[in-house]
Amino acid sequence: MDRPNADEEEAAAAAAPAMAQAAAPGALERLLHKATDPCNPEENWECIQKISDQVNADANGPTTALRLLEHKIQSPQEAEALRALNVLEMCVNNCGENFHHEMGKFRFLNGLIKVLSPKYLGEWSTDRVKSRIVEVMFSWTVWFPQEVKIRDAYQMLKKQGIVKQDPKLVEDKVLPPPSPRPASSIFDADGEKSKLLTRLLKSKNPEDLQAANKLIKALMKEEQAKSAKVSRRMNAIKEAHSCAEALEEMLSGCQAREGAAIPKPALEVLQGVFAKGEKLKPLMFRVASETVEDEEALAEILQANDRLTQVLRLYEQRLGPSRDSADTTGLPHSPAAGAPFPSVVPQVTPPLPSRRLPCSHSLAKLFIPLDSIMLSTIPPVTIYERNGLKAMLHFARDPVSSCPATRVLVLSLLSTSPSPVQHIVFQAAVPKSMAIKLQPATGSELPAFNPLSAPAVISQVLLLANPDKAPLRLRYRLLFSQDDQAHSEVGEVTDFPHADLWGGS
């Protein structure tokens, strides 16, 4: 069978010396011989787990393991080949992106293809082994869409008639345990399921192994659904920003020739982009409703929605309202959303939506005038000081009288930079047990520092509800432009003084 990519051949040849060195007989090879021994009455899961641990411990582990596994999968002994495929799947689940990238190269895929192809080993390979390889490759096209060579190799097998139809991934196949996941993963989030899975996999009862396989697949489906939501959110944010940017540029061009009629072709394009923006608004609401538990991601959605809404309003101001043009997303906007729109539009980050709190008024209804705030005597906390820009959090002496669980902070921004700082936006998020609201800032630009005049300061009031009186934590993102360069700075503040020390009742 022709190799699908000649460049891969050159890469393989160039890597040959390193492969030979990495493939020297050692612990990995001994473990693999033990795990795939056809004389074993059953799968040696402990040994298979050690293989994946060894692969992860060695920088050349993925390359060495795949070379050894390729040889085992091509074994004329059916039991040895099938056990090698089980080891392969264990490594796929446990050995991470480096292993996935190596298995997604034609150098390894061609080894599997040889077992299927009648031109090579397909004439004496058993149907069980060939069926299992097809099943494995098909599952990889589903779970690893980023590895395009796997998809290409599988499609080539279908085109040549070696694979007649996509296999059905049956439930009674014994799959290896799942790979280690981040702490936020569903595999770790549900301790009971994790314990159950561990117990089932250690069992020698075939029914328990089948139950473990079903549980793994159920967890993987949950994670796939979660990944699909993330993908939808990222695509929606990207489309909203792209549409807003296109509309901004076209409207800016219209402003440059103010008074002149817009040519019909240009007007039609403009109307088409506007219509696309209108259609995006329900999508933004949908992805926002799927992201209520992730404050940072939700803030990104609101930022994109705010930018899109503002430019759609600008379109209406200049060209007149269109039908079905009202903002029906139900998403909150930044306080600047109704302000006059500049020809070059900065990305305005709206405040995070507040949660319902056990107070007489929700944060959404609260507004504390800056000039009514009395600051505590405790010193402010500096949360950012780079690029000539300094950000500090000051603490109000008194809580909100109508909602004692809500405290008031004041952000102050000042610059010692010799150049102006523009498009300043501060965004904040707090743990789920709390809620935060950012009132409008007093400005978004700081002039170049002049030692002969009083320094300019931007102030912004933050309302922070903490009904459980948990230790305060705040994550922030500070956006600004300086010397025609955009900055996005992130950080976390945990060294707050205890609220009882701020003063007041």
Side-chain angles (χ1 to χ4, degrees):
M1 180 174 295
D2 295 335
R3 294 183 183 266
N5 192 332
D7 291 339
E8 193 66 21
E9 287 291 333
E10 296 178 7
M19 287 180 59
Q21 183 178 3
L28 186 59
E29 190 167 6
R30 290 194 296 272
L31 286 169
L32 187 57
H33 284 316
K34 185 176 180 181
T36 60
D37 187 348
C39 297
N40 292 338
E42 58 188 18
E43 298 289 350
N44 188 336
W45 288 110
E46 182 179 359
C47 183
I48 296 175
Q49 180 65 57
K50 288 181 180 179
I51 290 173
S52 63
D53 293 341
Q54 186 71 26
V55 171
N56 289 330
D58 185 357
N60 294 321
T63 303
T64 303
L66 287 167
R67 187 189 67 83
L68 295 171
L69 283 168
E70 177 185 346
H71 177 73
K72 292 288 186 181
I73 293 169
Q74 293 175 355
S75 170
Q77 298 186 64
E78 181 183 77
E80 184 176 31
L82 290 174
R83 290 206 166 130
L85 287 165
N86 276 343
V87 174
L88 173 62
E89 285 203 288
M90 170 67 115
C91 291
V92 168
N93 281 341
N94 277 10
C95 297
E97 293 182 1
N98 289 339
F99 190 89
H100 302 159
H101 184 62
E102 287 296 320
M103 81 179 188
K105 293 181 178 179
F106 287 127
R107 180 169 57 231
F108 175 70
L109 295 173
N110 282 336
L112 299 182
I113 292 171
K114 285 181 179 179
V115 182
L116 302 174
S117 174
K119 295 181 181 179
Y120 293 94
L121 306 177
E123 290 187 356
W124 57 79
S125 299
T126 68
D127 289 340
R128 285 186 65 193
V129 171
K130 289 191 285 189
S131 175
R132 191 79 176 94
I133 291 175
V134 171
E135 192 176 279
V136 164
M137 291 185 69
F138 174 66
S139 69
W140 292 349
T141 65
V142 175
W143 294 111
F144 306 107
Q146 71 277 15
E147 300 295 341
V148 294
K149 292 176 184 176
I150 296 177
R151 179 201 62 204
D152 293 344
Y154 184 76
Q155 291 300 325
M156 181 177 63
L157 290 170
K158 292 183 71 174
K159 185 176 181 180
Q160 294 184 358
I162 296 175
V163 175
K164 306 296 184 184
Q165 61 181 9
D166 294 338
K168 181 179 179 181
L169 301 180
V170 294
E171 295 291 330
D172 58 354
K173 292 289 184 183
V174 178
L175 294 181
S179 60
R181 307 279 174 166
S184 59
S185 165
I186 56 173
F187 287 95
D188 296 321
D190 193 322
E192 293 301 319
K193 287 183 180 179
S194 179
K195 292 177 183 177
L196 174 61
L197 183 59
T198 301
R199 181 178 64 79
L200 291 173
L201 289 171
K202 288 182 178 179
S203 173
K204 296 182 179 180
N205 186 338
E207 292 182 358
D208 286 343
L209 293 176
Q210 292 177 15
N213 179 53
K214 291 180 179 179
L215 179 57
I216 291 170
K217 289 188 175 183
L219 292 173
M220 293 180 75
K221 286 180 180 178
E222 289 180 32
E223 190 155 290
Q224 187 183 35
K226 183 178 178 181
S227 298
K229 287 182 180 180
V230 172
S231 179
R232 281 197 299 272
R233 182 183 79 233
M234 297 303 293
N235 288 336
I237 292 172
K238 182 179 179 181
E239 284 191 50
H241 279 301
S242 176
C243 181
E245 183 176 1
L247 208 51
E248 287 164 9
E249 290 180 358
M250 286 187 280
L251 290 174
S252 179
C254 294
Q255 185 182 31
R257 55 174 185 270
E258 189 172 356
I262 302 176
K264 185 176 180 181
L267 181 60
E268 290 177 350
V269 173
L270 195 58
Q271 290 171 338
V273 177
F274 175 83
K276 180 181 179 182
E278 286 287 297
K279 291 179 181 178
L280 282 173
K281 292 197 293 185
L283 175 62
M284 299 302 289
F285 177 78
R286 197 156 55 245
V287 296
S289 66
E290 295 175 347
T291 320
V292 291
E293 296 300 323
D294 188 338
E295 291 97 339
E296 190 169 328
L298 183 58
E300 291 179 356
I301 296 171
L302 297 178
Q303 176 185 349
N305 178 73
D306 195 22
R307 184 185 184 191
L308 180 64
T309 300
Q310 289 193 58
V311 76
L312 292 176
R313 287 178 179 173
L314 180 60
Y315 172 96
E316 293 180 342
Q317 290 172 10
R318 296 190 181 169
L319 301 179
S322 302
R323 292 181 295 173
D324 193 28
S325 61
D327 180 18
T328 57
T329 63
L331 299 181
H333 299 286
S334 72
F341 210 80
S343 58
V344 179
V345 186
Q347 295 185 12
V348 179
T349 306
L352 297 175
S354 60
R355 296 185 180 84
R356 292 183 179 178
L357 302 170
C359 303
S360 58
H361 299 282
S362 68
L363 288 188
K365 297 179 181 178
L366 284 178
F367 182 85
I368 307 297
L370 181 64
D371 57 9
S372 70
I373 297 173
M374 296 189 64
L375 294 180
S376 169
T377 58
I378 59 177
V381 173
T382 299
I383 63 173
Y384 178 83
E385 189 170 13
R386 286 195 298 275
N387 302 299
L389 184 63
K390 185 174 183 179
M392 295 181 291
L393 281 176
H394 305 259
F395 309 99
R397 187 190 67 181
D398 303 308
V400 178
S401 58
S402 60
C403 190
T406 299
R407 302 302 299 241
V408 181
L409 299 91
V410 178
L411 172 76
S412 63
L413 293 155
L414 61 155
S415 172
T416 57
S417 172
S419 56
V421 184
Q422 301 171 315
H423 305 156
I424 301 173
V425 176
F426 182 79
Q427 170 190 340
V430 291
K432 296 177 182 178
S433 62
M434 309 174 194
I436 191 169
K437 175 184 176 181
L438 278 67
Q439 294 185 180
T442 58
S444 61
E445 296 187 6
L446 289 170
F449 177 70
N450 183 352
L452 302 179
S453 60
V457 177
I458 292 176
S459 299
Q460 187 167 15
V461 175
L462 284 66
L463 304 179
L464 197 156
N466 184 17
D468 298 333
K469 296 186 177 180
L472 296 181
R473 282 174 47 220
L474 181 143
R475 287 184 297 173
Y476 69 86
R477 177 177 292 145
L478 182 60
L479 306 173
F480 60 94
S481 299
Q482 191 176 39
D483 296 325
D484 297 325
Q485 182 178 359
H487 295 263
S488 178
E489 307 287 347
V490 296
E492 183 169 4
V493 187
T494 58
D495 55 345
F496 286 101
H498 195 280
D500 291 343
L501 302 176
W502 297 13
S505 55

